[in-house]
Amino acid sequence: EAGVAQSPRYKIIEKRQSVAFWCNPISGHATLYWYQQILGQGPKLLIQFQNNGVVDDSQLPKDRFSAERLKGVDSTLKIQPAKLEDSAVYLCASSPWAVNTGELFFGEGSRLTVL
Amino acid sequence: AQSVTQLDSHVSVSEGTPVLLRCNYSSSYSPSLFWYVQHPNKGLQLLLKYTSAATLVKGINGFEAEFKKSETSFHLTKPSAHMSDAAEYFCVVNLLAGGGSQGNLIFGKGTKLSVKP
């Protein structure tokens, strides 16, 4: 079974530029999550989708971050304009359950460096 | 508020010796607790979970954890470390158990496990 796919794996940009990350969840998984993992910290939830609807985006900095999952399958996370403090690994995860049971399947992440 | 505290940022053991990674939680409700493992440049993987059944939980690769309500702890152990166990380990609490409508995982800051030959 294919796992959660993310791209690009690495991205280096200058502050005020924009960047987009893509995620393809495990086939059939209705729920998709984006997490931000800053160096030395645990992952923090940015946004949760169920199919193509947003369930929780309370911790998403909406002035610069946006995310969509238009067809209820793959998803993109965009940052515009980027700040130095956005340097982090962006993790995508999926699960087959509508409710967060705690059992998530993670991709390998997209590492962003903002200079 | 619910939270987890991983007491050690870095643990180093010799191959073949026991592993102990410590985690304390804070919760107003009976929590669901998890350990995830992250190998270098790999995605997080669920190691084991506690969801109010047996207090001693067995996971993959010989790891286990014991839920102790009186001590608000959920320490991760393994009798004998292997080189392949070198990774970062995260203790996680699920807010769903606290009445959240959708659940949200709160991750600890992680413990990096090094295994010496």
Side-chain angles (χ1 to χ4, degrees):
Chain A
E1 177 182 86
V4 176
Q6 291 189 245
S7 67
R9 290 292 314 277
Y10 304 92
K11 189 74 176 179
I12 300 174
I13 62 173
E14 295 187 350
K15 59 183 179 182
R16 292 187 290 273
Q17 287 187 324
S18 63
V19 63
F21 301 113
W22 173 83
C23 172
N24 191 20
I26 292 172
S27 178
H29 281 197
T31 308
L32 184 148
Y33 306 79
W34 282 102
Y35 282 83
Q36 180 192 56
Q37 185 177 16
I38 293 173
L39 187 64
Q41 300 181 20
K44 183 187 78 171
L45 179 69
L46 291 175
I47 189 167
Q48 176 184 344
F49 292 95
Q50 184 178 337
N51 297 311
N52 61 349
V54 175
V55 172
D56 182 357
D57 64 356
S58 58
Q59 298 186 79
L60 187 73
K62 299 181 185 63
D63 57 334
R64 298 182 298 105
F65 286 66
S66 64
E68 59 183 15
R69 193 185 184 198
L70 293 175
K71 296 183 179 179
V73 180
D74 55 351
S75 175
T76 55
L77 175 71
K78 296 179 182 178
I79 307 173
Q80 180 180 14
K83 291 186 175 182
L84 296 177
E85 58 261 36
D86 298 332
S87 293
V89 178
Y90 292 86
L91 299 167
C92 180
S94 69
S95 86
W97 303 282
V99 174
N100 190 346
T101 64
E103 298 180 58
L104 304 185
F105 298 82
F106 283 85
E108 294 182 340
S110 294
R111 182 179 298 274
L112 173 66
T113 301
V114 182
L115 302 176
Chain B
Q2 302 198 63
S3 65
V4 288
T5 301
Q6 293 185 243
L7 300 169
D8 306 293
S9 59
H10 191 194
V11 170
S12 182
V13 301
S14 296
E15 191 173 21
T17 64
V19 176
L20 170 64
L21 305 183
R22 299 182 294 166
C23 172
N24 285 105
Y25 69 91
S26 171
S27 174
S28 302
Y29 305 88
S30 181
S32 290
L33 294 160
F34 309 81
W35 278 96
Y36 274 82
V37 60
Q38 186 176 34
H39 287 91
N41 297 314
K42 296 294 184 184
L44 286 145
Q45 180 185 17
L46 180 65
L47 203 54
L48 50 79
K49 62 179 180 178
Y50 166 77
T51 54
S52 75
T55 57
L56 182 62
V57 181
K58 294 188 183 298
I60 61 174
N61 301 332
F63 284 92
E64 61 182 37
E66 186 171 9
F67 174 72
K68 292 186 176 180
K69 186 175 181 179
S70 60
E71 298 176 10
T72 62
S73 69
F74 190 57
H75 300 336
L76 182 70
T77 61
K78 183 174 180 177
S80 176
H82 190 273
M83 295 296 291
S84 61
D85 295 328
E88 189 150 23
Y89 293 79
F90 292 92
C91 184
V92 185
V93 64
N94 190 354
L95 288 183
L96 177 63
S101 60
Q102 290 296 330
N104 185 9
L105 300 187
I106 304 299
F107 285 76
K109 291 188 175 182
T111 298
K112 184 174 182 179
L113 176 65
S114 299
V115 182
K116 298 175 289 187

